[in-house]
Amino acid sequence: MLIPHQPSRMKSGLASNTAQLTARIRAVDAALEPGRRLLADQYARLFIPGMQLPDSTAEADRWLIDNAWQEGPFFAIVLLRQRCFEDMLERAVAAGVRQAVLLGAGYDSTALRLTGHADLRWFEVDHPSTQADKLALLSQAGIDTPQVGYVPVDFEAGAALGAALAEAGFDASQPCVVGWLGVTLFLRPEAFRHTLAELSGLCASGSTLVFDYMDQSVIDGTTPYAAALSKAQEVGARGEPYLTGLTPQTADEAVRQADFWPAEKLRIPDLLRKYGGPDPYCSADDFMGVVVAERD
């Protein structure tokens, strides 16, 4: 079963619906009791005004129960890929890296939450529609982000990532950490390869790239995980279909072809073992992976 391609929601000037759904997952997690939270993103709620959210830990528990089949399998990847990225960021900063790039940043709050690195410069790259919505919501909340350079780029339109980053003050001669989370699955295969090639030219020695990918079996409809297939149908109907699928092998090959070295390869069960604690509340359905790649 192939997922039909629908017109892109963002081509109509609307903010990304899937970015809003990601923010909702992070907001529900933040409403749980502190010992059960996997990420604790206290800013996520700001970015989804009007979306029904739990107001207490009891309501958050009920939400998880009510949505266990449809949303539960996605909590692990949405929350724990972020934990992995933040681990790699802390490691890179300790090694002297002072630039962080978020590709397809959506409603990410990392620059707001990780405040211990005053000299770390952030660059958030995203589709102009979603980025404009995020900036408007930050303004409404009275939050200023002078440490962040906002870089509007439409990957599908073939915009030059390097030129846009350079204009925002990014220094390609210095190492960086790149987080590319929740994006590759929504790009056409040629846009994925093009962006990875651009990153190869932008990431100096000592840089780290963290990205996630959807399994090819979800794209072609052969995965055994029914929730993943249902979500693929849902996002396709919303105008943001999954377009690129990989396997651990093809993800490794793509990284090496772009002159990165795959330092770590994690699947959802691996992320849960590493970050989920003794009794994580989310599913270990194994239909996505995370790659940590380095330039040396």
Side-chain angles (χ1 to χ4, degrees), residues 74-183:
F74 290 87
F75 268 70
I77 188 66
V78 166
L79 300 170
L80 301 184
R81 69 190 178 194
Q82 182 66 29
R83 290 280 301 277
C84 178
F85 169 70
E86 292 179 15
D87 261 7
M88 297 304 107
L89 178 69
E90 294 287 356
R91 182 187 304 178
V93 169
V97 174
R98 293 296 179 265
Q99 298 184 116
V101 179
L102 299 179
L103 293 184
Y107 299 101
D108 188 272
S109 67
T110 316
L112 296 173
R113 292 183 295 105
L114 301 187
T115 58
H117 311 297
D119 57 346
L120 180 62
R121 178 66 169 157
W122 292 86
F123 299 90
E124 292 197 5
V125 181
D126 207 353
H127 191 280
S129 301
T130 303
Q131 192 166 92
D133 187 59
K134 178 179 183 176
L135 289 172
L137 292 169
L138 286 172
S139 178
Q140 290 172 20
I143 296 175
D144 189 26
T145 54
Q147 75 278 30
V148 181
Y150 292 99
V151 187
V153 171
D154 185 348
F155 291 108
E156 289 287 353
L161 176 61
L165 279 170
E167 186 175 349
F170 178 79
D171 185 352
S173 71
Q174 298 299 313
C176 62
V177 180
V178 179
W180 197 16
L181 305 176
V183 180

Side-chain angles (χ1 to χ4, degrees), residues 164-202:
L165 279 170
E167 186 175 349
F170 178 79
D171 185 352
S173 71
Q174 298 299 313
C176 62
V177 180
V178 179
W180 197 16
L181 305 176
V183 180
T184 67
L185 51 162
F186 296 106
L187 298 178
R188 296 182 185 277
E190 57 270 24
F192 165 67
R193 292 191 297 269
H194 175 77
T195 304
L196 195 55
E198 278 200 286
L199 288 173
S200 177
L202 290 171

